[in-house]
């Protein structure tokens, strides 16, 4: 049986001497895996289709549950992601998030467009890649059932001005008056900065890093997943 799907390569592992097993996020079927043959040989025709971030229309032959890539036509390689270390870790966070949070055969078209748009913006836009990543994580968490309520104090809607507390179990922020002991205090500038970025405004790099650290903390504690590229990004860049 043959299948034609649009997908973005999330990564791959070596298989036998020259083959790879790819994880591909497809528009039609969510995250799937597929074998691709001979791509480690010099001059392999489909080598481009085995690289992370490659967005292509793939042709598979399918035997039972096993798919093999038989052809691919490139839509976008998002090449600039490879040329800049910050972009690289931002893009890496996007694909790692998808691999960990979206499964096979899920209705994922909105998550797919969110992912493709984030990679496109990180590659080609003048916008800061960390701000694109913050927006991606916020909306991708929502898609995965881990939405954050970040507009205001989740209890009294007071428009928090003083101390602010974050409760990762509820994915919500509280003012000092409403805080009931669950969670931890964060900087007001991190909370305000998150809202600025979500509105499309720019913030200082220090604030971006603090927001990304907060999101990494939330993902680790609430969803119990660690995104290694995100940890690298907030530690060193
Ligand atoms: Zn409150």
């Amino acid at each position: 049986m043959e299948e034609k799907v649009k997908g973005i390569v999330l990564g791959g592992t070596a298989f036998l001497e020259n083959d790879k097993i790819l994880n591909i996020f497809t528009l039609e079927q969510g995250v799937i895996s597929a074998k691709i043959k001979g791509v480690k040989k010099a001059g392999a025709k489909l080598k481009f289709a085995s690289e992370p971030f490659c967005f292509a229309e793939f042709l598979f032959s399918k035997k039972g549950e096993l798919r093999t890539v038989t052809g691919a036509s490139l839509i976008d390689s998002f090449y600039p992601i490879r040329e800049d270390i910050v972009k690289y870790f931002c893009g890496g966070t996007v694909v790692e998030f998808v691999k960990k949070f979206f499964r096979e055969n899920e209705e994922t078209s909105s998550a797919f467009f969110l992912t493709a748009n984030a990679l496109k913006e990180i590659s080609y836009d003048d916008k800061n890649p960390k701000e694109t990543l913050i927006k991606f994580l916020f909306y991708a968490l929502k898609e995965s059932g881990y939405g954050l309520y970040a507009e205001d104090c989740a209890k009294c809607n007071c428009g928090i001005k003083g101390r602010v507390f974050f409760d990762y179990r509820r994915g919500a922020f509280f003012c000092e008056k409403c805080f009931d002991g669950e969670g931890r205090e964060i900087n007001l500038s991190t909370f305000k900065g998150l809202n600025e970025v979500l509105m499309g405004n720019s913030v200082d790099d220090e604030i971006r890093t603090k927001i990304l650290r907060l999101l990494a903390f939330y993902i680790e504690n609430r969803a119990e997943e660690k995104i290694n590229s995100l940890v690298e990004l907030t530690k060193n860049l």
Side-chain angles (χ1 to χ4, degrees):
M1 201 177 99
E2 280 213 326
E3 256 179 9
K4 199 188 244 186
V5 297
K6 286 192 179 72
I8 296 167
V9 176
L10 304 172
T13 42
F15 181 70
L16 300 177
E17 205 179 326
N18 289 307
D19 305 349
K20 266 186 176 179
I21 304 285
L22 301 179
N23 285 111
I24 306 172
F25 186 29
T26 68
L27 173 63
E28 295 85 351
Q29 297 166 27
V31 177
I32 59 163
S33 54
K35 188 161 79 172
I36 186 161
K37 287 181 180 167
V39 285
K40 282 193 275 171
K41 284 184 202 155
K45 192 172 66 132
L46 286 176
K47 190 174 172 56
F48 76 92
S50 70
E51 303 288 341
F53 310 118
C54 170
F55 181 16
E57 186 169 66
F58 289 90
L59 202 61
F60 298 129
S61 71
K62 201 176 173 197
K63 259 192 208 147
E65 283 306 296
L66 188 73
R67 294 179 183 85
T68 304
V69 179
T70 54
S73 51
L74 186 68
I75 297 169
D76 201 326
S77 65
F78 301 120
Y79 194 79
I81 291 180
R82 283 157 228 259
E83 295 178 307
D84 176 283
I85 187 87
V86 173
K87 287 185 178 196
Y88 184 78
F89 281 108
C90 287
T93 302
V94 171
V95 294
E96 231 182 287
F97 184 95
V98 170
K99 205 155 49 168
K100 288 182 171 153
F101 283 84
F102 300 131
R103 312 267 174 240
E104 185 165 357
N105 296 324
E106 276 178 2
E107 176 35 73
T108 49
S109 60
S110 56
F112 185 86
F113 289 117
L114 194 64
T115 303
N117 281 332
L119 294 176
K120 197 170 142 197
E121 252 186 57
I122 291 168
S123 298
Y124 305 114
D125 252 48
D126 291 336
K127 283 180 205 150
N128 182 279
K130 289 182 189 170
E131 290 175 358
T132 298
L133 179 62
I134 290 166
K135 278 202 243 175
F136 168 80
L137 288 172
F138 184 85
Y139 292 108
L141 280 163
K142 198 182 240 176
E143 287 281 340
S144 319
Y146 295 105
L148 284 161
Y149 179 77
E151 276 168 51
D152 210 342
C153 172
K155 200 169 169 196
C156 76
N157 297 103
C158 67
I160 311 179
K161 288 188 183 69
R163 298 171 73 185
V164 52
F165 299 82
F166 177 59
D167 178 354
Y168 70 81
R169 289 175 200 84
R170 287 177 279 185
F173 299 83
F174 295 92
C175 72
E176 191 175 3
K177 193 167 57 97
C178 299
F179 178 60
D180 59 7
E182 293 289 329
R184 66 176 199 184
E185 184 166 12
I186 63 159
N187 284 327
L188 183 64
S189 59
T190 310
F191 172 72
K192 295 282 181 205
L194 173 58
N195 281 289
E196 288 298 322
V197 172
L198 293 175
M199 282 187 294
N201 299 324
S202 205
V203 295
D204 289 348
D205 199 53
E206 193 195 330
I207 306 285
R208 289 176 197 136
T209 302
K210 282 186 178 160
I211 298 167
L212 288 169
R213 277 197 194 125
L214 182 77
L215 293 171
F217 168 83
Y218 178 60
I219 291 168
E220 260 182 75
N221 288 283
R222 173 87 192 273
E224 295 178 351
E225 290 285 4
K226 191 173 174 182
I227 312 282
N228 295 314
S229 303
L230 183 57
V231 175
E232 283 306 308
L233 184 68
T234 54
K235 244 198 299 191
N236 305 315
L237 297 163

